[in-house]
Amino acid sequence: GLVRAAILVPWAIPTVVSAKMWGLIFDADGVMNKVIGQQVLWLADGPQSQWAIIIADVWKTAPFIGLLTLAGLQTIPAEVYEAAKVDGASAWQQFTRITLPNALPSIGVTALVAFLMGYTEFAIGWLFIERSANMTLAMSLWGMLTFGSLPWSQLAALALMMSVPVIIIFLVLQRALFDKLTFGEMKA
């Protein structure tokens, strides 16, 4: 109860507050530079700004992804594990033959949600590196729209192109995971 609620705190913090907090951590005089013992300009252009965004985004979204995964694991009935123990199954056999096959659908959905959350991330990158060459895709589209650098037709084409990876990942997950299911059981 309490531990699970405490783990969710990073996800519950508003994104702007989280981004500002991580901005202070990654500042030139921030905690991160003190921890690693060298001066790195985390919020400047370059690969270090991408790592700063990734770290902040993972910190914010990992609790929600963990919660989704836990919910999927809790749907597996305890009786199945008890029967496997009675039949002499080892812990590895229980994992590979019970846990993994039954958790695959929820892992697939969780992977899709995690991809979508990262793919469309806007606020953390915007509050970190403003108008940098290392913008996320969503930030780039917003910048093109706001500053009028592209006509609407090209922006619409870019937005459509952004949806292609999402559709591909969804179709792969649907074929790989969900077609094998019949009422919660894996087909042989």
Side-chain angles (χ1 to χ4, degrees), residues 78-91 93-95 98:
E79 294 84 20
V80 178
Y81 291 106
E82 292 169 11
K85 276 185 187 174
V86 169
D87 291 341
S90 67
Q93 289 173 326
Q94 289 179 31
F95 175 74
I98 298 170

Side-chain angles (χ1 to χ4, degrees), residues 89-122:
S90 67
W92 178 251
Q93 289 173 326
Q94 289 179 31
F95 175 74
T96 58
R97 296 186 180 171
I98 298 170
T99 306
L100 199 55
N102 286 300
L104 276 178
S106 65
I107 291 171
V109 169
T110 302
L112 182 63
V113 169
F115 173 77
L116 288 172
M117 289 172 74
Y119 193 66
T120 59
E121 178 53 50
F122 178 82

Side-chain angles (χ1 to χ4, degrees), residues 134-147:
N134 295 317
M135 290 184 171
T136 64
L137 192 53
M139 287 173 56
S140 298
L141 280 174
W142 180 83
M144 289 177 205
L145 176 65
T146 303
F147 302 113

Side-chain angles (χ1 to χ4, degrees), residues 20-101:
K20 286 299 182 183
M21 177 190 72
W22 280 99
L24 292 172
I25 290 171
F26 286 121
D27 192 50
D29 298 322
V31 174
M32 185 60 82
N33 284 338
K34 288 180 176 46
V35 168
I36 63 173
Q38 65 182 22
Q39 186 74 15
V40 177
L41 299 176
W42 293 97
L43 305 180
D45 281 343
Q48 72 279 4
S49 65
Q50 291 174 339
W51 281 108
I53 292 173
I54 289 169
I55 290 168
D57 190 48
V58 166
W59 178 83
K60 176 139 181 67
T61 57
F64 181 65
I65 299 306
L67 185 67
L68 288 177
T69 305
L70 177 63
L73 290 172
Q74 288 178 336
T75 63
I76 303 170
E79 294 84 20
V80 178
Y81 291 106
E82 292 169 11
K85 276 185 187 174
V86 169
D87 291 341
S90 67
W92 178 251
Q93 289 173 326
Q94 289 179 31
F95 175 74
T96 58
R97 296 186 180 171
I98 298 170
T99 306
L100 199 55

